[in-house]
Amino acid sequence: MIVKLAVQYEQQRVDKHDDNNGLLYGIYHYDVPKEDYDTDNMFNNEIVHVEWYKTVEERNKMLIK
């Protein structure tokens, strides 16, 4: 099962001078086994896809799809 998590680049970046070309609002897509869904272990699974957006509004539209 794929679970989406909203993230901000400023919290994920390694280099504080890197702005990810202005794409600051992201979505991590996790591949979560059913037994881990809605548990403390849910986001300890593999990130299988990442998307980045310029605005929080763009990102949030994609979260509800």
Side-chain angles (χ1 to χ4, degrees), residues 10-60:
E10 294 165 342
Q11 297 169 332
Q12 308 300 314
R13 66 183 172 188
V14 176
D15 178 358
K16 67 180 179 178
H17 300 291
D18 179 13
D19 72 351
N20 197 31
N21 297 320
L23 302 173
L24 300 178
Y25 305 96
I27 301 172
Y28 283 179
H29 297 251
Y30 287 86
D31 187 10
V32 178
K34 287 184 180 182
E35 62 269 12
D36 286 347
Y37 185 75
D38 209 19
T39 69
D40 290 340
N41 198 40
M42 189 159 93
F43 295 110
N44 290 335
N45 289 284
E46 184 178 355
I47 297 172
V48 294
H49 185 68
V50 179
E51 299 171 328
W52 293 104
Y53 302 92
K54 285 193 180 241
T55 68
V56 71
E57 292 81 14
E58 287 177 292
R59 191 255 331 261
N60 288 348

